[in-house]
């Protein structure tokens, strides 16, 4: 899954609040194109932009995308042989919530 401003392609600018897409990435090795939607890859779901001043950002590991293996484990797109932890920070109405993904794919909301 990656942040997307247009619902068809991944972007590395802006925050996740602009929207994101969930897609099947055919690349699983450390090659160019992993973590990006390419020709022939299916987009499963498009999430639209948040409204009302809500922001959603990811730390370094999930700044632009997050990848899950069929086992449910997270996968680093910059080094697919390694698993990844990551934290999304959601801010709305002056309140902040952290959504933490561990390498096993488990999610914790704080």
């Amino acid at each position: 899954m990656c942040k997307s401003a247009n619902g068809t392609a991944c972007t590395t600018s802006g925050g996740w609040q602009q929207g994101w897409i969930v897609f099947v990435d055919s690349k699983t090795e450390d090659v160019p194109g992993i973590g990006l939607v390419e020709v022939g890859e299916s987009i499963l779901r498009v999430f639209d932009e948040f409204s009302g001043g809500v922001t959603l950002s990811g730390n370094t590991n999930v700044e632009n995308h997050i990848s899950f293996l069929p086992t449910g484990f997270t996968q680093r797109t910059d080094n697919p042989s390694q698993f990844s932890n990551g934290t999304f920070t959601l801010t709305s109405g002056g309140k902040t919530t952290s959504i933490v993904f561990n390498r096993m794919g488990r999610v914790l909301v704080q």
Side-chain angles (χ1 to χ4, degrees), residues 21-59:
I21 52 179
V22 177
F23 65 100
V24 177
D25 194 347
S26 61
K27 302 264 175 69
T28 58
E29 302 297 324
D30 192 10
V31 294
I34 191 167
L36 301 172
V37 178
E38 296 182 305
V39 174
E41 294 180 335
S42 299
I43 295 177
L44 304 176
R45 183 126 187 231
V46 176
F47 292 85
D48 294 326
E49 180 178 9
F50 290 163
S51 61
V54 176
T55 62
L56 181 63
S57 61
N59 70 351

Side-chain angles (χ1 to χ4, degrees), residues 51-55 90-96:
S51 61
V54 176
T55 62
L90 176 71
T91 304
S92 176
K95 295 182 180 181
T96 300

Side-chain angles (χ1 to χ4, degrees), residues 42-104:
S42 299
I43 295 177
L44 304 176
R45 183 126 187 231
V46 176
F47 292 85
D48 294 326
E49 180 178 9
F50 290 163
S51 61
V54 176
T55 62
L56 181 63
S57 61
N59 70 351
T60 301
N61 289 342
V62 293
E63 182 177 12
N64 297 312
H65 36 69
I66 185 168
S67 179
F68 292 91
L69 296 169
T71 59
F73 283 59
T74 58
Q75 176 187 32
R76 289 180 57 160
T77 54
D78 64 336
N79 188 350
S81 64
Q82 294 183 3
F83 301 114
S84 177
N85 296 328
T87 302
F88 285 115
T89 302
L90 176 71
T91 304
S92 176
K95 295 182 180 181
T96 300
T97 302
S98 294
I99 305 160
V100 182
F101 294 85
N102 74 10
R103 66 185 197 99
M104 303 283 288

